[in-house]
Amino acid sequence: MLFCSDAKSGLKAIIAVHNTHLGPAIGGCRMWDYASADEALTDALRLSKGMTYKNALAGLPHGGGKSVIIGNAHTDKSPALLKAFAHHVKCLADRYVTAEDVGITSADADLMATIAPNVGGTSEAGLGDPSPYTALGVYCGIKAAAHHVFGNDDLTGKHVSLQGLGNVGFRVAEHLHRDGAKLIVSDVWEPSLTRAVDAFGATTISPEEAHRVPCDIFAPCALGAGLNRHTIPDIQAAIVAGAANNQLEQTTDGALLASRGILYAPDYVINAGGVIAVAEPVSASAHASVTRRTEAIGDTLSAIFAEATRTGEPTALIADRMAEQRFRG
Ligand code: NAD
């Protein structure tokens, strides 16, 4: 754990390296207006642990880590702050690779990469913004879940509640719309809603309604901990499958979803497309390779769903066990 600060730029950040058994930790940087340093620390620890599981199950030669910058990405972010952060990242060059996450764009990653060699997801030395790959993986995961529950992966006419229309959520919406799904969208940022109505003829609802609206699939693509003992009883969808990290507030919430007969696509399995892209070595075939491996997320999920049906265990538990077998050897 590295606590970083720089009085001149106002930087306050935490870098958490959770596990390096499979290789240097990899995981993006989030900039968020945390209510307290404690809240930021909890987020960094939870997210870095999630990356260990995600990277192991995605078959990457990397452990898990994550960093958080405390501040409002719209008002507190500056080139000086990003550069100050990058100097701290550089100190961990043999142990941690960062990239973009909520509040950090690929342009920000490009700027940080001018200071630190251990920045992925850049346009110069990598595939750029990982969000399109994350969205592709989520789309493939939704199709795998639909196949498991409905007997085929045809999304025509299926109602999907998409919570969060950011870099990933909006692209997931594009995939689903192309397949003929009916979109019900929510976001706290009004312009994203207007964009989705114009582009997809989507129906809008408030973020608070997203999980409880009647639909076939609920896709959380905003922030974490949205699946908990308060929200799960209200979910009407047959499937929960979305991009957000750390969707379960507690481990037991996976069992709660299963007990209600809701198929949950474990978050770190379905949203691994981005880190697969960030970890990909530079080559002419990088895009094709990442696309192929991201599409395989659907197969990984199908295996988890089949095992859940066979054993009666929650999907989240099965995914955890598979990941632990890999990173603990
Ligand atoms: P983003 O910041 O571009 O988008 C997040 C969106 O959610 C924004 O439009 C924001 O206004 C909206 N939002 C915030 N709070 C909300 C609420 N309560 N209800 C509804 N909408 C709300 O972030 P992103 O890159 O699209 O990432 C989305 C999620 O996916 C995050 O949890 C992130 O950690 C996860 N994720 C992203 C990637 C990636 O490649 N970007 C990879 C893996 C996981």
Side-chain angles (χ1 to χ4, degrees):
M1 186 89 60
L2 188 66
F3 292 87
C4 324
S5 65
D6 175 61
K8 222 168 163 189
S9 64
L11 173 75
K12 279 189 198 144
I14 302 167
I15 303 176
V17 173
H18 176 260
N19 190 294
T20 54
H21 285 178
L22 290 174
I26 192 167
C29 171
R30 172 173 294 190
M31 182 159 185
W32 192 252
D33 210 358
Y34 293 100
S36 67
D38 271 2
E39 195 185 286
L41 178 60
T42 303
D43 208 29
L45 290 172
R46 274 167 58 84
L47 289 166
S48 64
K49 181 179 176 190
M51 290 310 298
T52 298
Y53 284 74
K54 183 188 305 201
N55 297 340
L57 219 45
L60 299 175
H62 287 284
K66 199 88 179 182
S67 44
V68 300
I69 297 177
I70 301 171
N72 184 318
H74 294 293
T75 52
D76 298 333
K77 194 161 66 180
S78 67
L81 179 136
L82 291 169
K83 284 182 177 175
F85 176 67
H87 279 290
H88 290 283
V89 171
K90 191 179 176 184
C91 297
L92 294 172
D94 55 341
R95 264 179 294 164
Y96 173 62
V97 180
T98 196
E100 49 272 82
D101 189 58
V102 176
I104 296 292
T105 65
S106 42
D108 298 334
D110 285 349
L111 181 62
M112 293 196 275
T114 61
I115 309 275
N118 47 331
V119 180
T122 63
S123 40
E124 289 252 322
L127 291 168
D129 181 3
S131 306
Y133 298 101
T134 306
L136 173 65
V138 171
Y139 166 66
C140 294
I142 287 176
K143 280 178 84 72
H147 190 275
H148 189 81
V149 171
F150 307 124
N152 67 67
D153 67 0
D154 184 2
L155 298 176
T156 315
K158 291 278 184 292
H159 289 80
V160 184
S161 170
L162 245 162
Q163 185 184 39
L165 290 163
N167 290 322
V168 180
F170 199 86
R171 289 181 170 98
V172 172
E174 285 174 336
H175 284 291
L176 298 175
H177 176 67
R178 200 190 49 225
D179 276 12
K182 303 276 179 222
L183 301 180
I184 306 160
V185 297
S186 53
D187 198 296
V188 291
W189 180 244
E190 186 72 29
S192 297
L193 293 175
T194 314
R195 203 172 148 222
V197 171
D198 291 347
F200 316 124
T203 305
T204 62
I205 53 171
S206 73
E208 294 72 35
E209 293 296 312
H211 68 281
R212 64 168 79 104
V213 69
C215 62
D216 300 295
I217 300 158
F218 171 40
C221 295
L223 297 181
L227 302 175
N228 54 54
R229 65 187 196 286
H230 304 295
T231 58
I232 292 171
D234 292 338
I235 295 175
Q236 302 201 45
I239 293 168
V240 175
N245 275 313
N246 293 336
Q247 291 173 34
L248 303 178
E249 191 174 279
Q250 299 190 14
T251 321
T252 48
D253 294 324
L256 198 52
L257 282 163
S259 73
R260 287 214 50 224
I262 298 167
L263 185 71
Y264 169 62
D267 49 11
Y268 62 77
V269 185
I270 195 170
N271 71 15
V275 76
I276 291 172
V278 169
E280 180 71 14
V282 182
S283 81
S285 58
H287 170 69
S289 162
V290 171
T291 300
R292 183 178 46 75
R293 288 162 59 218
T294 299
E295 285 171 346
I297 286 172
D299 301 330
T300 306
L301 283 168
S302 295
I304 291 170
F305 299 153
E307 180 72 356
T309 302
R310 195 181 67 78
T311 61
E313 293 174 308
T315 51
L317 191 81
I318 293 166
D320 282 359
R321 191 166 59 226
M322 284 167 70
E324 283 161 9
Q325 277 164 1
R326 293 193 188 173
F327 72 79
R328 289 188 181 144

